[in-house]
Amino acid sequence: EAGVTQFPSHSVIEKGQTVTLRCDPISGHDNLYWYRRVMGKEIKFLLHFVKESKQDESGMPNNRFLAERTGGTYSTLKVQPAELEDSGVYFCASSPLDGGAKNIQYFGAGTRLSVL
Amino acid sequence: AQSVTQLGSHVSVSEGALVLLRCNYSSSVPPYLFWYVQYPNQGLQLLLKYTSAATLVKGINGFEAEFKKSETSFHLTKPSAHMSDAAEYFCAVSEGDYGQNFVFGPGTRLSVLP
């Protein structure tokens, strides 16, 4: 079974540009989460989808960040325009809606975003 | 609000020595607790979890953790460190069993010396 896949693994952009990160969750996982780790600090929650609906977006830093999950499958996180402080590692995680594994979140390898 | 603290951003042990990584949490409800490990250039991998069953939890790679409610702790241990254990370790807490987001500690980088 394929794990959580994130693309790209690394993105380098200039301040003011737009970047789109993609996450493919484990097949069948209705919960999808985005997290971010900035400069060696804590990994912080950004938002949570249940299928295609945003369940909780309380961690989104500002309106330059837009997350979508069309059709309840893969998700994208767009940063527009990117600022220097957006640099960090963006993690995606997924979990099933039901069953014994619903407490466990399975993480992707992350996308390292560098804004210059 | 939930929070997690991990004492020691960097821990060094000798190969074969005991590994002890500390995690303390705060939660207003009975928590779900997790330890994740991140090896270089890889994603977060679940080591073990506590979800209100046995207080001593065994995980992968010989790691275990004990939930102590009175101390609000969930420390991670391994009797004998191996070079391959060198990685960054994260403790996380979640409230509730329905898709609640995780709150992570700042992480502890473990170095294993030959």
Side-chain angles (χ1 to χ4, degrees):
Chain A
E1 178 182 280
V4 177
T5 306
Q6 293 187 245
F7 183 83
S9 59
H10 194 183
S11 179
V12 181
I13 61 172
E14 293 189 351
K15 175 183 173 181
Q17 290 186 323
T18 298
V19 63
T20 300
L21 314 181
R22 173 169 170 148
C23 169
D24 286 76
I26 292 173
S27 178
H29 282 192
D30 289 327
N31 287 309
L32 187 148
Y33 309 81
W34 284 98
Y35 293 84
R36 176 174 76 169
R37 190 183 193 197
V38 174
M39 286 294 291
K41 294 188 177 179
E42 292 90 344
I43 300 169
K44 291 205 168 178
F45 167 77
L46 295 178
L47 88 158
H48 170 208
F49 284 99
V50 176
K51 299 183 180 179
E52 66 276 6
S53 300
K54 291 177 184 175
Q55 181 76 15
D56 181 356
E57 52 184 329
S58 61
M60 294 288 263
N62 52 61
N63 59 12
R64 295 186 293 103
F65 289 75
L66 175 63
E68 295 180 323
R69 192 181 183 194
T70 306
T73 54
Y74 71 91
S75 174
T76 58
L77 180 65
K78 180 189 290 187
V79 185
Q80 179 182 30
E83 298 289 345
L84 298 178
E85 63 265 25
D86 301 331
S87 296
V89 181
Y90 290 77
F91 291 102
C92 176
S94 70
S95 70
L97 209 51
D98 301 307
K102 62 183 176 182
N103 303 113
I104 300 171
Q105 294 184 20
Y106 299 85
F107 283 79
T111 293
R112 182 174 297 277
L113 175 64
S114 300
V115 183
L116 307 178
Chain B
Q2 308 162 79
S3 67
V4 177
T5 57
Q6 293 182 240
L7 186 62
S9 59
H10 193 180
V11 171
S12 293
V13 300
S14 297
E15 192 173 19
L18 171 71
V19 175
L20 171 60
L21 304 182
R22 298 178 187 274
C23 171
N24 289 86
Y25 69 92
S26 69
S27 176
S28 58
V29 299
Y32 293 84
L33 295 159
F34 305 81
W35 275 99
Y36 281 84
V37 60
Q38 186 179 24
Y39 299 103
N41 301 315
Q42 295 187 29
L44 297 171
Q45 180 182 357
L46 180 69
L47 269 180
L48 48 81
K49 69 182 191 297
Y50 167 77
T51 55
S52 75
T55 56
L56 182 62
V57 181
K58 294 187 183 300
I60 62 171
N61 301 338
F63 284 94
E64 63 181 36
E66 186 173 9
F67 171 69
K68 291 187 176 180
K69 183 179 178 180
S70 60
E71 298 178 7
T72 60
S73 69
F74 191 55
H75 302 329
L76 181 70
T77 60
K78 181 174 180 178
S80 176
H82 191 272
M83 297 296 287
S84 61
D85 295 327
E88 192 161 18
Y89 292 78
F90 297 92
C91 182
V93 64
S94 171
E95 290 181 348
D97 61 358
Y98 173 67
Q100 303 295 323
N101 59 281
F102 285 3
V103 173
F104 282 90
T108 297
R109 185 168 297 281
L110 176 67
S111 298
V112 182
L113 309 174

